[in-house]
Amino acid sequence: QVQLLESGGGRVQAGDSLTLSCAASGRTLANAPWAWFRQAPGKDRYFVATVAYWRGPNTYYADSVKGRFSISRDNAKNTADLYMNNLRPEDTAVYYCAVGRDDEFYFNVEERDYVSWGQGTQVTVSS
């Protein structure tokens, strides 16, 4: 169905900002929700942010990133971005882009709610 590719990862200092991007191919996503998850070494994969689409974009964030991260989508380009501000060492992880199903207008925070996944991009924050 849809294929996803993340980009924009890298190594930054604490307090810096970084933007991740995800590009979809294979089909037009229309109103399907986008999300970002992350997985630190030795840890489970956790929800970070999602942007659904109901008459426009609607966002939801994990408590750990509220006020620091911002997710956006461009339906015309079939892309989604994650802007990360005031990064902390604990933000270090592999970040994964995910896409759900069309006509899901609510916020999904579980991995099982998403049907397509990227391969991940590494973000490392040094103190």
Side-chain angles (χ1 to χ4, degrees):
Q1 203 171 89
V2 63
Q3 294 79 47
L4 304 177
L5 180 63
E6 304 97 334
S7 62
R11 181 181 294 272
V12 298
Q13 296 288 330
D16 286 350
S17 298
L18 196 65
T19 299
L20 306 181
S21 297
C22 185
S25 61
R27 73 174 181 90
T28 301
L29 295 182
N31 59 7
W34 293 80
W36 289 91
F37 289 72
R38 67 186 182 186
Q39 185 172 26
K43 304 291 184 179
D44 293 331
R45 186 156 60 183
Y46 293 105
F47 168 80
V48 174
T50 186
V51 54
Y53 199 86
W54 173 242
R55 304 178 182 181
N58 294 272
T59 60
Y60 179 76
Y61 301 91
D63 288 342
S64 59
V65 305
K66 285 181 179 178
R68 299 190 299 120
F69 290 12
S70 180
I71 187 172
S72 64
R73 64 189 291 157
D74 189 327
N75 289 355
K77 296 180 179 179
N78 256 8
T79 60
D81 292 340
L82 182 69
Y83 177 75
M84 304 181 291
N85 189 40
N86 295 323
L87 283 162
R88 306 165 179 169
E90 53 264 41
D91 294 319
T92 295
V94 176
Y95 283 71
Y96 297 89
C97 174
V99 170
R101 299 176 176 86
D102 289 346
D103 301 321
E104 291 184 335
F105 308 120
Y106 49 89
F107 300 132
N108 297 316
V109 301
E110 301 292 338
E111 292 184 49
R112 62 179 176 270
D113 295 320
Y114 295 90
V115 297
S116 299
W117 292 83
Q119 293 301 118
T121 185
Q122 177 71 48
V123 173
T124 302
V125 184
S126 301
S127 60

